[in-house]
Amino acid sequence: MNTATRATAAEDFRRSLEARGKLPALSIVVPTLNERDNVRELVDRLDRSLAGLTWEIVFVDDDSADGTVDILRDLSRADRRVRLLHRIGRRGLASAVVEGVLATSSPVVAVLDSDLQHDEALLPAMLGRLVAADCDVVVASRYMTTGGVGDWTQGRLFVSRVATKLAELLLHSELTDPMSGFFMIKRTAFDQVVRSLSNQGYKILLDILLSAKPALRVEEIPYTFRSRRSGESKLDTTAVIDYLALLLDKMIGHVIPIRFVMFACVGGLGLLVHLSVLASLNRGMGVAFAVANLAAALVAMTFNFFINNLLTYRDMRLRGFWPMLRGLISFSAVCAVGTAANVGIAVVLFKQNYTWWLAGLAGICMGAVWNYTATSIFTWRNVRSLTRASENGEAFAVNSAKRLRRQVQHDQAA
Ligand code: GDD
Ligand code: MN
């Protein structure tokens, strides 16, 4: 069988399953993080809005601490259309959505927030538009004529508008809301781009649109973004950094990793910190140069550790006193080695008659690459916590198996 006939056969098979109601016409992916009081209501509302359609919903939860997982597990036991993907030791809206979509089975997938801010009653109309317009994506837009953003503050409205303008520049398109978190996409279109995604932060739709070559055909439908009923937004100030990192990654990410660019920028800032501490201690307060310089280096290193922990490694941030202290110590140790390498290389090159600035620059590059690589292994890829996460996963699997066995024995006895 050649590829074309195989594809047609697969398509026929899919159609026949769909016709018999065995394959949902629509899959819905919903990322959750601490949404205890919203998920039940969301499933109820979907059940009403999608009456007459076959559908499935995949919740992707990043180990919420508020009991959301238990509720989702109950829901999935009571209703086979509801499924749960429980991720441990992971964070991130974009990657949650991607993994959720990969776990679905129907030809069309909708992405929806779990906090009831997106108008689920719009889904049938979106599906209708996807089919009628024969496009790849239908976006629910807050900025089309009749759409709206509910009770947003002026500040958030402004940031959102600036970000949208920036996205338009990169997208070369007239989309009114490429940052929407509410959209529907054909699975075939998703599969074409999934390997090129940056998977950074929040803006999964923008990531998809920017990664698609050739461009996807997109339609928009207006809606009003509702206010949150319960819980709170997880979007903080680092979402802005996430966003810029995504745009930068799409522009130059294939040449140089964005995390490295950020790490190097923080290093540059550290240099300024070092020089100012040195100047004020030595020049200003008359502290001996060697002592002032050592103090400056320690302050700069500590500064760099905290800024990197806050921004560069925001997705795997170390939290709590001991993890952070351990992080600071390993960071300092790595940087000490990096400085030695930096100086060593520079001296060797200088002795080989390279000009002073070239020798210095080579040393800096060497030190930066070492610091970046080694801290990403020793400081932020906390091997212990990864092991703990996989141990948790294993314990969960073993317990589930035991529970299942008990259930079977019980059923047999009955
Ligand atoms: N699994 C997982 N992991 N889910 C997450 C995470 C995470 O790290 N962070 C947030 N979520 C879930 C929330 O539980 C919620 O269901 C949804 O993602 C959106 O998060 P909110 O914190 O409610 O975001 P928002 O309302 O401030 O932002 C919305 O508007 C943006 C446009 O301005 C979202 O729709 C964004 O996707 C959208 O880009
Ligand atoms: Mn929200």
Side-chain angles (χ1 to χ4, degrees):
M1 216 194 292
N2 68 25
T3 330
T5 16
R6 206 177 305 134
T8 328
E11 180 65 8
D12 287 346
F13 181 59
R14 185 181 70 66
R15 287 233 175 84
S16 77
L17 284 179
E18 218 173 280
R20 282 181 288 148
K22 295 220 159 149
L23 192 70
L26 178 66
S27 297
I28 302 153
V29 170
V30 179
T32 57
L33 190 62
N34 301 331
E35 303 283 3
R36 183 179 56 194
D37 298 324
N38 293 321
V39 287
R40 232 177 245 289
E41 171 71 17
L42 178 65
V43 174
D44 285 346
R45 289 191 191 187
L46 285 171
D47 191 38
R48 274 179 306 218
S49 298
L50 299 176
L53 270 177
T54 47
W55 54 274
E56 65 173 353
I57 180 167
V58 175
F59 284 99
V60 188
D61 189 276
D62 281 350
D63 213 14
S64 294
D66 70 344
T68 306
V69 180
D70 301 322
I71 297 176
L72 291 176
R73 202 171 294 127
D74 284 349
L75 281 168
S76 70
R77 283 181 178 148
D79 186 339
R80 56 195 290 206
R81 297 172 302 180
V82 181
R83 287 192 288 138
L84 162 64
L85 195 67
H86 180 179
R87 307 198 302 172
I88 295 175
R90 306 275 306 280
R91 266 296 151 83
L93 182 57
S95 65
V97 168
V98 170
E99 285 163 37
V101 174
L102 289 173
T104 62
S105 51
S106 37
V108 178
V109 188
V111 177
L112 189 76
D113 285 355
S114 59
D115 55 6
L116 310 170
Q117 292 196 273
H118 294 159
D119 185 358
E120 67 293 324
L122 212 63
L123 287 168
M126 288 166 80
L127 190 58
R129 177 71 80 85
L130 196 74
V131 175
D134 191 25
C135 55
D136 302 303
V137 182
V138 172
V139 179
S141 162
R142 296 158 292 177
Y143 299 129
M144 271 176 98
T145 39
T146 55
V149 291
D151 59 357
W152 271 12
T153 59
Q154 284 298 316
R156 177 150 186 196
L157 191 64
F158 175 75
V159 171
S160 181
R161 285 206 186 275
V162 172
T164 308
K165 277 277 165 266
L166 265 174
E168 271 170 19
L169 286 180
L170 275 185
L171 267 176
H172 313 290
S173 94
E174 309 260 287
L175 272 188
T176 61
D177 197 0
M179 331 273 288
S180 177
F182 184 17
F183 60 95
M184 196 176 271
I185 184 167
K186 280 192 183 144
R187 180 58 193 267
T188 44
F190 179 84
D191 287 341
Q192 268 166 29
V193 301
V194 65
R195 284 164 205 281
S196 329
L197 295 176
S198 301
N199 258 339
Q200 292 249 1
Y202 255 69
K203 304 299 173 190
I204 179 64
L205 172 63
L206 185 63
D207 196 354
I208 290 175
L209 297 179
L210 287 172
S211 305
K213 283 185 193 64
L216 297 178
R217 293 158 301 163
V218 187
E219 292 274 320
E220 288 186 300
I221 284 188
Y223 86 107
T224 302
F225 193 65
R226 298 191 200 121
S227 318
R228 220 177 215 281
R229 206 181 59 144
S230 178
E232 53 190 35
S233 169
K234 280 89 204 171
L235 234 162
D236 56 10
T237 38
T238 55
V240 177
I241 309 260
D242 272 337
Y243 179 61
L244 294 177
L246 170 65
L247 293 190
L248 215 59
D249 185 56
K250 280 284 165 277
M251 287 188 288
I252 58 166
H254 49 288
V255 186
I256 181 166
I258 297 311
R259 216 192 276 278
F260 177 72
V261 174
M262 291 184 70
F263 190 85
C265 290
V266 174
L269 270 181
L271 197 71
L272 293 180
V273 171
H274 184 118
L275 289 178
S276 10
V277 174
L278 180 60
S280 48
L281 286 183
N282 180 249
R283 304 265 99 185
M285 296 156 68
V287 177
F289 182 82
V291 178
N293 198 40
L294 183 66
L298 289 177
V299 172
M301 213 137 66
T302 312
F303 170 84
N304 279 12
F305 168 73
F306 280 105
I307 302 294
N308 277 321
N309 194 43
L310 201 67
L311 300 180
T312 318
Y313 285 96
R314 60 201 177 285
D315 53 338
M316 29 184 120
R317 190 176 295 162
L318 303 171
R319 293 164 207 267
F321 182 76
W322 291 112
M324 281 175 82
L325 184 67
R326 206 166 37 225
L328 178 60
I329 292 171
S330 69
F331 185 82
S332 310
V334 165
C335 291
V337 177
T339 310
N342 173 343
V343 174
I345 293 276
V347 169
V348 168
L349 288 181
F350 187 67
K351 279 195 183 140
Q352 289 180 356
N353 292 332
Y354 281 85
T355 38
W356 63 270
W357 61 267
L358 204 60
L361 204 63
I364 290 175
C365 290
M366 177 68 208
V369 170
W370 159 263
N371 284 353
Y372 172 69
T373 316
T375 56
S376 77
I377 295 169
F378 295 116
T379 309
W380 279 287
R381 188 157 307 139
N382 193 328
V383 181
R384 280 256 300 262
S385 79
L386 283 180
T387 337
R388 212 174 307 133
S390 77
E391 276 165 7
N392 281 345
E394 246 167 64
F396 179 70
V398 170
N399 285 337
S400 309
K402 278 187 192 152
R403 213 177 307 129
L404 199 66
R405 197 174 326 125
R406 270 201 302 273
Q407 180 80 39
V408 171
Q409 282 165 352
H410 177 263
D411 288 353
Q412 279 170 348

